[in-house]
C-alpha cells in the first residue's frame, strides 16, 4: 500500500477541492447566462448531464494535451511525436505538420518487437500477402486459418499448458471470458488493484464479487474463510465454485504478484486461480515465460492463465491457457470466439515469430539477449530514480515503474516539461488511479541503450527538481556517479 505523506495528501486534496469549487462556480454562471442550455435538443434530454461530464470539462480538458499524443512512426526506443496546438484553452487540439523526435518511455514495447525486426517483419509481410490483413469472419465461421491453430499450439507450449485459445483484443479476453466461467452462485475474489477489464468481466458475470487488499495473501485468506463459512447471500448455500483473480505484474503499480503464497491459499480452500499475465508474459523470467518462471511456480498449479500479445510480442490480442476441457468449453461458449472477428493473420504471424525469437528457434541468441537487456535496463533505471529522490513503485525486474506525482498541477507540468526536452512519458490520473495517487508510468524496453537511459534520467532529474516531485533525499552526486560507472563497466 502507498503511504502518502501527510502534507502531500493535504495539499493534493486541497488542490482538487479548489478545482471542483471553481468548476461549480463556472457552471452556475453558465446556467445564469443561459449559455449552458442548448436550443437544438427539440424535447430530448441532454445525453451528458452537468455532473456526468464535469470531470472531463473542468479537469481533463485543461490538460488533455498530455494525453493521446499522436505519433507518426513505429513505437521503438525513439519515435516521432506529432506536435499540436490549441486556440481555445485545450478544448480542441489541432495537429500540425511538425514532429518531435522523442525518447519513448511510454509504450509497452518491452522486448523491442514493435519496430521492424529482421526475423519477424519479413514473415509478417508474407503472411499479409497470403492471408490478407483480416479474415473478415469469426473463428467459428471462416475466420480460422492455419496460423491461428499454430499460434494456439505455440502459446500453450510457451506458457506450459495443454491448450490455449486466442482472441483479437486483450481487454476482451478478460471481460468476455469471466462471464462465461462464472455465474450466479459463484464467488469471484479479486485483488483491489486488478485491471478494469477484470472488474468489468467480474461485474458482468452475475457472480458475487469480493475484493481483498492489494497483493496481501493474509487478507485473501481471511476473505476466503469468511465467505466459505457464510456461503451464498440469503440462502447460505455452499458456493458453486470460487475463483481468485490476480495479475502477474500490476500495470499501475509495477509490483510482482505474491503468487506462491496465493496459490498455497487457493489450494488450501479449493479455489481456482486465474492469473492475468498481460504485463509479465515475455517480459520477466529467464526464458520470458512470466512470473511463474520468475517466482518458481509450476504452471500446473495455476488453473487459468491469461495474457496479452500487445506488450512483449509487438502485436495485438490476448489468450487464455488451461486444460483441454476448459479451452474446448470456451470455444463453444465464449462470445469473443463465437461472434468477434478473429485475430488478424499478420498479427498472429508476428506473435509466432516473436515467440520463436524468444526461444532461440530463429537460430540466434537475440531472444536471450533481449530478456537480459530488459532486466538490466529495468533494474538500472529503477535504482537510479530512487537514488535521485523520486518515489518509485514496483519491484526489481519489473519493466513498469510508476513515479508518484500526487498533485494535479504536477501532472501536466511533468509531462509538458519532459516533452520539451524530447522525452515522451505517460502520466496517469483518476479514474485510472485513485484521485490522490496520480503518477507518471515509465515503461522500459530492451531496445533502449544505456545512453538512452542516462539521457532520460538526466531529463527526468531536471524536471523533477523543477516540478518538485523528489519526495525523498537524494544520494550524494559523487556516490551516484561512482555507482553508475561501476554498473556501466
Amino acid at each position: 500500500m502507498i503511504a502518502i505523506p501527510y502534507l502531500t495528501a493535504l495539499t493534493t486534496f486541497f488542490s482538487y477541492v479548489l478545482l471542483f469549487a471553481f468548476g461549480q462556480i463556472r457552471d452556475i454562471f453558465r446556467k445564469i447566462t443561459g449559455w449552458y442550455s442548448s436550443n437544438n435538443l427539440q424535447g430530448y434530454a441532454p445525453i451528458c448531464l452537468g455532473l456526468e461530464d464535469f470531470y472531463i470539462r473542468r479537469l481533463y480538458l485543461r490538460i488533455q494535451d498530455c494525453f493521446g499524443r499522436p505519433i507518426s512512426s513505429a513505437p521503438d526506443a525513439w519515435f516521432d511525436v506529432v506536435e499540436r496546438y490549441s486556440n481555445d484553452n485545450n478544448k480542441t487540439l489541432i495537429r500540425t505538420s511538425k514532429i518531435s523526435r522523442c525518447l519513448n518511455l511510454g509504450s509497452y514495447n518491452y522486448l523491442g518487437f514493435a519496430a521492424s525486426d529482421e526475423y519477424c517483419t519479413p514473415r509478417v509481410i508474407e503472411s499479409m500477402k497470403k492471408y490478407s490483413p483480416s479474415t473478415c469472419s469469426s473463428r467459428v465461421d471462416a475466420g480460422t486459418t492455419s496460423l491461428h491453430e499454430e499460434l494456439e499450439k505455440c502459446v500453450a507450449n510457451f506458457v506450459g499448458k495443454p491448450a490455449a485459445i486466442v482472441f483479437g483484443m486483450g481487454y476482451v479476453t478478460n471481460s468476455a471470458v469471466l462471464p462465461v466461467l462464472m455465474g450466479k452462485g459463484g464467488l469471484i475474489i479479486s485483488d483491489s488493484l486488478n485491471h478494469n477489464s477484470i472488474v468489468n468481466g467480474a461485474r458482468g458475470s452475475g457472480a458475487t464479487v469480493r475484493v481483498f487488499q492489494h497483493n496481501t495473501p493474509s487478507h485473501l485468506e481471511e476473505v476466503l474463510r469468511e465467505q466459505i463459512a457464510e456461503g451464498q447471500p440469503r440462502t447460505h448455500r455452499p458456493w458453486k465454485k470460487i475463483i481468485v483473480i490476480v495479475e502477474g505484474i500490476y500495470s499501475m503499480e509495477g509490483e510482482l504478484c505474491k503468487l506462491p503464497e496465493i496459490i498455497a491459499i487457493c489450494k488450501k480452500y479449493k479455489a481456482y486461480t486465474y492469473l492475468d499475465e498481460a504485463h509479465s508474459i515475455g517480459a520477466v523470467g529467464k526464458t520470458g515465460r512470466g512470473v511463474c518462471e520468475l517466482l518458481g511456480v509450476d504452471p500446473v498449479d495455476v488453473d487459468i492463465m491469461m495474457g496479452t500479445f500487445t506488450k512483449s510480442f509487438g502485436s495485438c490480442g490476448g489468450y487464455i491457457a488451461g486444460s483441454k476441457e476448459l479451452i474446448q468449453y470456451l470455444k463453444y461458449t465464449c462470445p469473443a470466439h463465437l461472434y468477434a472477428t478473429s485475430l488478424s493473420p499478420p498479427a498472429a504471424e508476428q506473435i509466432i515469430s516473436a515467440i520463436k525469437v524468444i526461444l532461440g528457434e530463429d537460430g540466434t541468441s537475440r531472444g536471450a539477449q533481449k530478456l537480459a537487456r530488459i532486466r538490466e535496463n529495468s533494474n538500472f533505471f529503477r535504482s537510479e530514480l530512487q537514488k535521485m529522490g523520486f518515489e518509485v513503485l514496483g519491484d526489481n525486474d519489473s519493466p513498469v515503474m510508476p513515479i508518484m506525482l500526487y498533485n494535479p498541477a504536477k501532472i501536466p507540468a511533468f509531462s509538458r516539461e519532459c516533452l520539451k526536452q524530447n522525452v515522451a512519458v505517460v502520466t496517469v490520473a483518476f479514474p485510472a488511479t485513485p484521485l490522490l495517487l496520480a503518477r507518471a508510468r515509465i515503461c522500459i524496453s530492451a531496445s533502449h541503450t544505456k545512453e538512452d537511459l542516462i539521457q532520460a534520467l538526466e531529463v527526468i532529474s531536471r524536471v523533477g527538481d523543477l516540478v518538485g516531485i523528489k519526495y525523498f533525499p537524494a544520494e550524494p552526486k559523487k556516490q551516484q556517479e561512482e555507482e553508475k560507472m561501476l554498473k556501466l563497466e
Side-chain angles (χ1 to χ4, degrees):
M1 299 297 290
I2 303 171
I4 314 175
Y6 179 76
L7 183 61
T8 303
L10 189 65
T11 55
T12 302
F13 186 76
F14 183 68
S15 299
Y16 277 110
V17 169
L18 278 180
L19 286 169
F20 183 81
F22 278 101
Q24 291 288 351
I25 292 169
R26 292 186 67 183
D27 278 1
I28 290 170
F29 274 101
R30 289 174 74 185
K31 288 181 181 178
I32 291 173
T33 58
W35 189 88
Y36 186 83
S37 61
S38 174
N39 296 323
N40 300 322
L41 292 175
Q42 297 179 350
Y44 289 93
I47 291 179
C48 296
L49 301 178
L51 282 176
E52 290 176 355
D53 67 339
F54 178 84
Y55 181 83
I56 297 172
R57 288 185 292 103
R58 296 304 182 199
L59 281 82
Y60 174 77
L61 287 183
R62 291 171 178 264
I63 61 172
Q64 73 161 326
D65 61 300
C66 301
F67 304 97
R69 289 176 176 142
I71 64 173
S72 59
S73 66
D76 203 1
W78 289 79
F79 62 2
D80 297 328
V81 179
V82 179
E83 295 183 13
R84 299 177 293 177
Y85 70 93
S86 176
N87 294 323
D88 53 6
N89 298 315
N90 267 3
K91 289 181 181 177
T92 56
L93 294 170
I94 302 169
R95 296 184 188 184
T96 69
S97 57
K98 298 179 181 178
I99 60 170
S100 298
R101 189 70 176 169
C102 295
L103 180 59
N104 180 9
L105 295 181
S107 299
Y108 305 133
N109 184 25
Y110 295 148
L111 294 184
F113 284 116
S116 180
D117 183 84
E118 61 188 70
Y119 183 83
C120 301
T121 304
R123 286 161 175 77
V124 170
I125 293 170
E126 286 302 313
S127 70
M128 186 166 66
K129 291 177 181 178
K130 181 177 179 180
Y131 293 102
S132 85
S134 173
T135 62
C136 300
S137 183
S138 67
R139 287 289 302 275
V140 295
D141 294 329
T144 298
T145 68
S146 58
L147 281 177
H148 293 90
E149 294 177 344
E150 182 185 354
L151 174 60
E152 288 175 342
K153 290 178 183 177
C154 189
V155 168
N157 177 65
F158 185 67
V159 301
K161 282 293 185 182
I165 181 173
V166 297
F167 303 96
M169 183 179 178
Y171 186 97
V172 167
T173 305
N174 278 327
S175 61
V177 165
L178 285 173
V180 175
L181 294 177
M182 301 298 289
K184 190 175 180 182
L187 173 65
I188 294 175
I189 302 181
S190 178
D191 188 287
S192 61
L193 295 183
N194 273 341
H195 191 263
N196 181 262
S197 59
I198 295 173
V199 174
N200 283 342
R203 287 173 177 171
S205 69
T208 301
V209 181
R210 295 290 180 266
V211 175
F212 69 96
Q213 291 173 8
H214 170 59
N215 218 10
T216 309
S218 59
H219 188 246
L220 167 63
E221 185 168 13
E222 287 178 22
V223 174
L224 265 168
R225 189 187 301 119
E226 179 185 339
Q227 292 301 315
I228 290 172
E230 290 185 0
Q232 296 184 38
R234 294 188 299 276
T235 64
H236 301 292
R237 292 174 181 168
W239 299 102
K240 292 181 179 178
K241 53 185 166 181
I242 303 173
I243 190 168
V244 175
I245 307 177
V246 293
E247 295 185 34
I249 292 178
Y250 290 89
S251 58
M252 291 297 170
E253 315 300 315
E255 290 181 359
L256 294 169
C257 169
K258 295 178 180 177
L259 192 58
E261 297 93 327
I262 288 170
I263 286 177
I265 292 168
C266 289
K267 283 185 174 182
K268 180 179 178 180
Y269 293 95
K270 310 303 180 191
Y272 292 109
T273 309
Y274 184 109
L275 175 64
D276 179 338
E277 287 218 81
H279 287 267
S280 55
I281 192 67
V284 297
K286 186 177 180 181
T287 60
R289 286 179 164 90
V291 290
C292 287
E293 183 177 48
L294 181 67
L295 302 177
V297 173
D298 190 338
V300 173
D301 293 331
V302 181
D303 300 291
I304 304 158
M305 301 182 77
M306 176 270 175
T308 63
F309 304 121
T310 50
K311 282 79 177 177
S312 298
F313 306 100
S315 187
C316 61
Y319 68 85
I320 294 288
S323 66
K324 290 182 179 179
E325 294 77 15
L326 169 68
I327 301 305
Q328 196 66 27
Y329 174 73
L330 291 176
K331 287 183 176 181
Y332 288 141
T333 57
C334 184
H337 181 80
L338 297 172
Y339 306 115
T341 302
S342 63
L343 185 69
S344 169
E349 178 58 51
Q350 168 67 27
I351 302 159
I352 294 168
S353 300
I355 291 176
K356 287 181 178 179
V357 172
I358 293 170
L359 296 176
E361 294 177 5
D362 63 330
T364 70
S365 61
R366 288 196 308 123
Q369 291 170 9
K370 285 175 178 288
L371 289 166
R373 199 178 305 122
I374 188 174
R375 183 168 57 251
E376 292 167 5
N377 286 354
S378 300
N379 293 338
F380 168 74
F381 204 81
R382 183 185 302 279
S383 65
E384 292 302 311
L385 286 174
Q386 290 169 340
K387 290 172 188 175
M388 291 174 181
F390 292 101
E391 184 176 358
V392 185
L393 305 185
D395 297 315
N396 284 337
D397 289 352
S398 169
V400 181
M401 48 199 75
I403 301 173
M404 298 308 297
L405 303 177
Y406 296 116
N407 197 288
K410 295 180 181 181
I411 301 169
F414 183 79
S415 178
R416 289 165 183 163
E417 289 300 321
C418 283
L419 189 66
K420 285 179 185 177
Q421 300 183 51
N422 299 103
V423 173
V425 298
V426 169
T427 50
V428 188
F430 181 84
T433 65
L435 190 66
L436 302 183
L437 301 180
R439 63 199 68 180
R441 183 176 63 178
I442 305 298
C443 290
I444 298 300
S445 171
S447 60
H448 287 133
T449 64
K450 274 291 191 291
E451 291 74 22
D452 292 337
L453 299 180
I454 291 170
Q455 180 179 341
L457 287 166
E458 290 172 352
V459 170
I460 291 173
S461 182
R462 288 196 298 269
V463 175
D465 289 328
L466 179 65
V467 177
I469 56 172
K470 292 184 178 179
Y471 296 104
F472 299 110
E475 286 188 7
K477 285 188 177 180
K478 187 177 180 181
Q479 184 180 342
Q480 281 189 38
E481 289 172 2
E482 288 175 357
E483 291 184 3
K484 194 180 291 183
M485 290 301 295
L486 284 172
K487 284 184 179 179
L488 288 175
E489 288 174 3

